[in-house]
Amino acid sequence: MMSRSSRRSAAVLLGLFCLFAAQAATARPDRLAREGHALAVKRCGACHATEMTGASPLAAAPPFRSLAYRYPVETLDEALAEGIVVGHPDMPSDPWEPADIKRFIAYLEKIGPKPAKTR
């Protein structure tokens, strides 16, 4: 049988474990979004606005913060994996690696507001 001090120590350790696990769980999405932002700047920033404010360098290219109003960003994974094909030649169509897609989508989800659901 555990003594009172042993139970207390076990409870404190369990509490600390839960605290650290929660912090690690929230740190991962933030890290993915930061890495996704770096990818967006590198691969797309010549045409698209990649920040919370500002116009896109190419007027026809939508700012990434607004993509959630046009597409469910979580469904862009297949298009990115296969290489996005659009009606103009300036858009690169190189396929993305799965890990980069995950990072990029985490960034898009963080930067753009979710549109209101229609009834």
Side-chain angles (χ1 to χ4, degrees):
M1 189 139 187
M2 292 178 79
S3 71
R4 177 177 267 168
S5 65
S6 294
R7 284 193 306 263
R8 189 176 303 134
S9 294
V12 168
L13 287 174
L14 180 61
L16 288 172
F17 173 77
C18 290
L19 177 66
F20 290 131
Q23 287 177 340
T26 57
R28 181 165 168 75
D30 287 343
R31 181 178 55 83
L32 286 175
R34 278 193 312 273
E35 292 169 354
H37 176 254
L39 284 168
V41 170
K42 179 180 176 184
R43 293 189 73 160
C44 314
C47 297
H48 292 272
T50 58
E51 306 302 327
M52 293 296 294
T53 61
S56 293
L58 180 64
F64 282 153
R65 65 184 172 274
S66 71
L67 286 184
Y69 291 111
R70 296 169 179 242
Y71 314 99
V73 295
E74 65 275 4
T75 64
L76 292 174
D77 57 349
E78 188 175 335
L80 291 168
E82 293 175 0
I84 293 179
V85 179
V86 294
H88 60 87
D90 296 331
M91 179 90 164
S93 62
D94 300 333
W96 289 45
E97 294 296 320
D100 287 345
I101 293 169
K102 188 173 185 174
R103 291 177 181 103
F104 183 66
I105 289 177
Y107 156 71
L108 291 178
E109 289 174 340
K110 183 173 183 173
I111 194 171
K114 299 286 186 217
K117 293 186 181 191
T118 58
R119 294 182 184 192

PDB file of all heavy atoms in Angstrom, residues 47-62:
ATOM      1  N   CYS A  47       4.214  35.500 -55.955  1.00  0.00           N
ATOM      2  CA  CYS A  47       2.915  35.868 -56.536  1.00  0.00           C
ATOM      3  C   CYS A  47       1.837  36.119 -55.479  1.00  0.00           C
ATOM      4  O   CYS A  47       1.015  37.005 -55.638  1.00  0.00           O
ATOM      5  CB  CYS A  47       2.429  34.779 -57.484  1.00  0.00           C
ATOM      6  SG  CYS A  47       3.515  34.538 -58.916  1.00  0.00           S
ATOM      7  N   HIS A  48       1.814  35.299 -54.424  1.00  0.00           N
ATOM      8  CA  HIS A  48       0.754  35.373 -53.411  1.00  0.00           C
ATOM      9  C   HIS A  48       1.206  36.135 -52.168  1.00  0.00           C
ATOM     10  O   HIS A  48       2.354  35.998 -51.742  1.00  0.00           O
ATOM     11  CB  HIS A  48       0.358  33.963 -52.954  1.00  0.00           C
ATOM     12  CG  HIS A  48      -0.316  33.155 -54.003  1.00  0.00           C
ATOM     13  ND1 HIS A  48      -1.670  33.184 -54.197  1.00  0.00           N
ATOM     14  CD2 HIS A  48       0.186  32.276 -54.910  1.00  0.00           C
ATOM     15  CE1 HIS A  48      -1.985  32.351 -55.182  1.00  0.00           C
ATOM     16  NE2 HIS A  48      -0.882  31.794 -55.642  1.00  0.00           N
ATOM     17  N   ALA A  49       0.287  36.891 -51.574  1.00  0.00           N
ATOM     18  CA  ALA A  49       0.540  37.481 -50.259  1.00  0.00           C
ATOM     19  C   ALA A  49       0.537  36.336 -49.250  1.00  0.00           C
ATOM     20  O   ALA A  49      -0.390  35.530 -49.224  1.00  0.00           O
ATOM     21  CB  ALA A  49      -0.532  38.499 -49.912  1.00  0.00           C
ATOM     22  N   THR A  50       1.582  36.267 -48.454  1.00  0.00           N
ATOM     23  CA  THR A  50       1.724  35.167 -47.497  1.00  0.00           C
ATOM     24  C   THR A  50       1.568  35.627 -46.050  1.00  0.00           C
ATOM     25  O   THR A  50       1.696  34.817 -45.144  1.00  0.00           O
ATOM     26  CB  THR A  50       3.093  34.474 -47.667  1.00  0.00           C
ATOM     27  OG1 THR A  50       4.114  35.444 -47.479  1.00  0.00           O
ATOM     28  CG2 THR A  50       3.226  33.833 -49.038  1.00  0.00           C
ATOM     29  N   GLU A  51       1.283  36.899 -45.850  1.00  0.00           N
ATOM     30  CA  GLU A  51       1.177  37.449 -44.495  1.00  0.00           C
ATOM     31  C   GLU A  51      -0.280  37.763 -44.156  1.00  0.00           C
ATOM     32  O   GLU A  51      -1.166  37.652 -44.998  1.00  0.00           O
ATOM     33  CB  GLU A  51       2.037  38.695 -44.365  1.00  0.00           C
ATOM     34  CG  GLU A  51       3.491  38.499 -44.752  1.00  0.00           C
ATOM     35  CD  GLU A  51       4.215  37.423 -43.955  1.00  0.00           C
ATOM     36  OE1 GLU A  51       3.910  37.230 -42.766  1.00  0.00           O
ATOM     37  OE2 GLU A  51       5.095  36.767 -44.539  1.00  0.00           O
ATOM     38  N   MET A  52      -0.508  38.218 -42.939  1.00  0.00           N
ATOM     39  CA  MET A  52      -1.858  38.553 -42.476  1.00  0.00           C
ATOM     40  C   MET A  52      -2.396  39.840 -43.119  1.00  0.00           C
ATOM     41  O   MET A  52      -3.588  40.081 -43.109  1.00  0.00           O
ATOM     42  CB  MET A  52      -1.881  38.704 -40.952  1.00  0.00           C
ATOM     43  CG  MET A  52      -1.618  37.413 -40.198  1.00  0.00           C
ATOM     44  SD  MET A  52      -2.876  36.165 -40.461  1.00  0.00           S
ATOM     45  CE  MET A  52      -4.284  36.934 -39.677  1.00  0.00           C
ATOM     46  N   THR A  53      -1.514  40.642 -43.672  1.00  0.00           N
ATOM     47  CA  THR A  53      -1.921  41.878 -44.343  1.00  0.00           C
ATOM     48  C   THR A  53      -1.116  42.011 -45.629  1.00  0.00           C
ATOM     49  O   THR A  53      -0.127  41.313 -45.830  1.00  0.00           O
ATOM     50  CB  THR A  53      -1.671  43.119 -43.464  1.00  0.00           C
ATOM     51  OG1 THR A  53      -0.270  43.209 -43.177  1.00  0.00           O
ATOM     52  CG2 THR A  53      -2.454  43.048 -42.157  1.00  0.00           C
ATOM     53  N   GLY A  54      -1.555  42.926 -46.460  1.00  0.00           N
ATOM     54  CA  GLY A  54      -0.799  43.223 -47.672  1.00  0.00           C
ATOM     55  C   GLY A  54      -1.389  42.567 -48.905  1.00  0.00           C
ATOM     56  O   GLY A  54      -2.083  41.557 -48.829  1.00  0.00           O
ATOM     57  N   ALA A  55      -1.095  43.197 -50.033  1.00  0.00           N
ATOM     58  CA  ALA A  55      -1.573  42.707 -51.322  1.00  0.00           C
ATOM     59  C   ALA A  55      -0.606  41.676 -51.881  1.00  0.00           C
ATOM     60  O   ALA A  55       0.580  41.670 -51.559  1.00  0.00           O
ATOM     61  CB  ALA A  55      -1.710  43.875 -52.291  1.00  0.00           C
ATOM     62  N   SER A  56      -1.121  40.832 -52.752  1.00  0.00           N
ATOM     63  CA  SER A  56      -0.277  39.865 -53.454  1.00  0.00           C
ATOM     64  C   SER A  56       0.575  40.599 -54.483  1.00  0.00           C
ATOM     65  O   SER A  56       0.097  41.538 -55.138  1.00  0.00           O
ATOM     66  CB  SER A  56      -1.139  38.825 -54.159  1.00  0.00           C
ATOM     67  OG  SER A  56      -1.828  38.023 -53.244  1.00  0.00           O
ATOM     68  N   PRO A  57       1.840  40.189 -54.661  1.00  0.00           N
ATOM     69  CA  PRO A  57       2.672  40.806 -55.695  1.00  0.00           C
ATOM     70  C   PRO A  57       2.057  40.698 -57.093  1.00  0.00           C
ATOM     71  O   PRO A  57       2.199  41.591 -57.901  1.00  0.00           O
ATOM     72  CB  PRO A  57       3.991  40.030 -55.610  1.00  0.00           C
ATOM     73  CG  PRO A  57       4.040  39.542 -54.199  1.00  0.00           C
ATOM     74  CD  PRO A  57       2.606  39.240 -53.831  1.00  0.00           C
ATOM     75  N   LEU A  58       1.356  39.598 -57.357  1.00  0.00           N
ATOM     76  CA  LEU A  58       0.638  39.412 -58.610  1.00  0.00           C
ATOM     77  C   LEU A  58      -0.840  39.627 -58.303  1.00  0.00           C
ATOM     78  O   LEU A  58      -1.428  38.870 -57.531  1.00  0.00           O
ATOM     79  CB  LEU A  58       0.877  38.010 -59.172  1.00  0.00           C
ATOM     80  CG  LEU A  58       0.196  37.654 -60.485  1.00  0.00           C
ATOM     81  CD1 LEU A  58       0.713  38.535 -61.626  1.00  0.00           C
ATOM     82  CD2 LEU A  58       0.428  36.191 -60.810  1.00  0.00           C
ATOM     83  N   ALA A  59      -1.427  40.649 -58.871  1.00  0.00           N
ATOM     84  CA  ALA A  59      -2.799  41.037 -58.517  1.00  0.00           C
ATOM     85  C   ALA A  59      -3.803  39.897 -58.674  1.00  0.00           C
ATOM     86  O   ALA A  59      -4.761  39.797 -57.904  1.00  0.00           O
ATOM     87  CB  ALA A  59      -3.225  42.237 -59.349  1.00  0.00           C
ATOM     88  N   ALA A  60      -3.610  39.010 -59.635  1.00  0.00           N
ATOM     89  CA  ALA A  60      -4.552  37.915 -59.866  1.00  0.00           C
ATOM     90  C   ALA A  60      -4.401  36.771 -58.864  1.00  0.00           C
ATOM     91  O   ALA A  60      -5.263  35.902 -58.781  1.00  0.00           O
ATOM     92  CB  ALA A  60      -4.380  37.379 -61.284  1.00  0.00           C
ATOM     93  N   ALA A  61      -3.317  36.770 -58.104  1.00  0.00           N
ATOM     94  CA  ALA A  61      -3.058  35.692 -57.145  1.00  0.00           C
ATOM     95  C   ALA A  61      -3.701  36.034 -55.802  1.00  0.00           C
ATOM     96  O   ALA A  61      -3.358  37.045 -55.193  1.00  0.00           O
ATOM     97  CB  ALA A  61      -1.554  35.496 -56.968  1.00  0.00           C
ATOM     98  N   PRO A  62      -4.624  35.217 -55.323  1.00  0.00           N
ATOM     99  CA  PRO A  62      -5.293  35.564 -54.066  1.00  0.00           C
ATOM    100  C   PRO A  62      -4.340  35.493 -52.870  1.00  0.00           C
ATOM    101  O   PRO A  62      -3.451  34.645 -52.836  1.00  0.00           O
ATOM    102  CB  PRO A  62      -6.394  34.503 -53.941  1.00  0.00           C
ATOM    103  CG  PRO A  62      -5.939  33.365 -54.785  1.00  0.00           C
ATOM    104  CD  PRO A  62      -5.107  33.949 -55.878  1.00  0.00           C
TER     105      PRO A  62
END
